[in-house]
Amino acid sequence: MSKRAHNFCAGPAALPTAVLQRAQAEMLDWQGRGLSVMEMSHRSDEYVAIAEKAEQDLRDLMAIPSDYKVLFLQGGASQQFAEIPLNLLPEDGTADYIETGIWSKKAIEEARRYGSVNVAASAKGYDYFAIPGQNEWQLSKDAAYLHYASNETIGGLQFDWVPQTGDVPLVVDMSSDILSRPVDVSQFGLIYAGAQKNIGPSGLVVVIVREDLLGRARSVCPTMLNYKIAADNGSMYNTPATYSWYLSGLVFEWLKEQGGVAAMEQRNRAKKDLLYTFIDGSDFYTNPIQTGSRSWMNVPFRLADEKLDKTFLAGADARGLLNLKGHRSVGGMRASIYNATGLDAVEALVAYMAEFEKEHG
Ligand SMILES: *Cc1c(COP(=O)(O)O)cnc(C)c1O
């Protein structure tokens, strides 16, 4: 078997080896049909079965209630930044947004092109080291929805609670923490997630939307961005990202075999505990995020002397610990530890960090 590195990439991120092996085995000849999934008509019985199974497995994993549609769309999470207001924000309405970092800020900037946006709270007052509690939020009276990002992939901030907004639908960008632990879908109006962090390959964004929110799109909303049209056509108004959808389905099957999201929560807790405990116990490494707002999925950290960053990264690379460089906007390091990155990877990282500290600290 070829060698697999420990990949800490923020996205596109590591995929389970077993899933890639399965895809490899099925590459040329899918289940004796003599063709690859990539070469199938999206309208064929075979492909429709693949697509439906993927949806059902995701429904099982997240216990998605039957009055929610699951859409497999393109354009990434970033396209949702426009798609959400085009579908859910009336021209004379207002939407509330919580700003906790780069991704939620992008969502705000895009929504402003389509209507009135109230930034009800910002983590700026905490230098983006903590998420403001709901008692600090300035919500508007009749918001069309409230949008937030449950996990800020770049800053490493994560909500460990769900906002309470009464009848105002909650819209959440779960791109980097969907399926990492159980959530109660019924608390949300709409959940969306770009696939390439914790679901599958890029090219796909999953949208889980409550049915009563369909059919509200503005008349200028492009057909391709209209949730109702996507839902009425089983996400096949046009050709979907067939291979990404199939591969995501293999990941859902793998997740079920692993014990589902409850098992993932246990594993992810052990992974992040190991890494944060090590960082906090060291005088050489730091993570500035307040304990209750720390991300389980993306752990940014700094070395005591940033002149050592290059040496650290080169040494990591030589040991097969890949993609630890922080986002270009913040510098330092970042370890992304999604579902497919195991405890063994975090153990290898911590061992290297300890060794590096001994040598250079
Ligand atoms: C990666 C990411 C995005 C952007 O995803 P694309 O699919 O590249 O558009 C948006 N929000 C969050 C939280 C992300 O992690």
Side-chain angles (χ1 to χ4, degrees):
M1 210 185 93
S2 53
K3 150 176 161 268
R4 295 272 294 160
H6 294 306
N7 183 6
F8 298 94
C9 193
L15 288 162
T17 302
V19 164
L20 295 175
Q21 284 169 332
R22 167 100 182 262
Q24 182 181 44
E26 294 182 345
M27 176 62 78
L28 296 181
D29 176 9
W30 181 82
Q31 300 196 0
R33 299 289 297 152
L35 79 177
S36 163
V37 174
M38 257 182 276
E39 305 166 301
M40 286 178 187
S41 163
H42 56 295
R43 313 258 178 228
S44 64
D45 291 347
E46 290 89 344
Y47 190 78
V48 169
I50 289 170
E52 284 176 353
K53 177 159 192 329
E55 176 178 337
Q56 189 55 53
D57 283 343
L58 182 61
R59 284 184 176 276
D60 296 346
L61 283 165
M62 294 183 72
I64 299 173
S66 58
D67 60 332
Y68 284 73
K69 293 287 187 193
V70 179
L71 309 176
F72 291 83
L73 307 176
Q74 299 184 54
S78 300
Q79 185 156 282
Q80 293 304 310
F81 298 163
E83 201 157 331
I84 288 159
L86 279 166
N87 279 275
L88 301 180
L89 179 57
E91 250 154 283
D92 56 354
T94 295
D96 285 342
Y97 277 71
I98 309 301
E99 196 246 322
T100 49
I102 287 166
W103 291 116
S104 49
K105 202 182 285 177
K106 284 195 166 182
I108 289 165
E109 282 161 10
E110 189 68 12
R112 284 199 167 120
R113 300 164 63 92
Y114 301 102
S116 158
V117 167
N118 169 46
V119 178
S122 169
K124 196 172 180 188
Y126 297 102
D127 290 329
Y128 298 97
F129 293 161
I131 289 169
Q134 195 169 331
N135 57 333
E136 300 169 44
W137 296 7
Q138 309 282 324
L139 299 171
S140 41
K141 265 219 145 36
D142 294 303
Y145 59 86
L146 179 126
H147 178 282
Y148 75 109
S150 51
N151 184 60
E152 284 283 358
T153 320
I154 295 169
L157 261 82
Q158 186 175 25
F159 278 77
D160 69 351
W161 47 282
V162 175
Q164 299 301 314
T165 50
D167 292 337
V168 174
L170 263 187
V171 174
V172 62
D173 179 353
M174 265 190 206
S175 293
S176 48
D177 63 353
I178 193 167
L179 295 167
S180 64
R181 55 193 189 193
V183 293
D184 175 3
V185 174
S186 71
Q187 293 193 276
F188 299 91
L190 187 148
I191 296 171
Y192 66 102
Q196 70 274 17
K197 278 54 182 273
N198 216 11
I199 295 179
S202 62
L204 188 73
V205 55
V206 172
V207 174
I208 302 165
V209 56
R210 212 173 57 214
E211 274 167 3
D212 64 291
L213 297 174
L214 299 174
R216 300 183 182 190
R218 295 194 193 171
S219 55
V220 296
C221 178
T223 306
M224 281 295 296
L225 304 191
N226 186 311
Y227 291 135
K228 183 163 193 317
I229 290 172
D232 288 348
N233 288 279
S235 305
M236 295 194 191
Y237 178 80
N238 76 331
T239 317
T242 54
Y243 199 76
S244 296
W245 190 337
Y246 153 76
L247 219 100
S248 300
L250 297 187
V251 173
F252 300 151
E253 271 186 47
W254 175 82
L255 280 170
K256 284 177 111 176
E257 286 160 20
Q258 304 299 304
V261 286
M264 285 302 127
E265 176 177 37
Q266 280 188 15
R267 278 196 208 180
N268 290 329
R269 184 191 303 277
K271 282 152 54 184
K272 65 95 189 169
D273 279 348
L274 177 61
L275 190 47
Y276 284 118
T277 304
F278 174 78
I279 290 170
D280 291 344
S282 135
D283 297 326
F284 186 74
Y285 302 100
T286 49
N287 167 286
I289 310 299
Q290 212 178 70
T291 322
S293 299
R294 279 175 161 179
S295 171
W296 289 30
M297 295 281 102
N298 311 95
V299 183
F301 62 91
R302 290 182 177 281
L303 316 189
D305 178 0
E306 67 179 65
K307 288 201 287 293
L308 290 169
D309 283 5
K310 276 206 170 106
T311 316
F312 179 88
L313 288 167
D317 211 86
R319 280 168 182 74
L321 305 168
L322 306 186
N323 294 310
L324 286 163
K325 192 170 188 226
H327 190 268
R328 59 186 190 277
S329 64
V330 291
M333 308 297 153
R334 173 177 49 169
S336 295
I337 46 176
Y338 302 117
N339 287 344
T341 300
L343 183 63
D344 58 332
V346 181
E347 285 167 350
L349 172 61
V350 165
Y352 169 61
M353 288 169 75
E355 199 180 301
F356 189 87
E357 178 178 354
K358 222 181 231 169
E359 206 171 311
H360 300 275

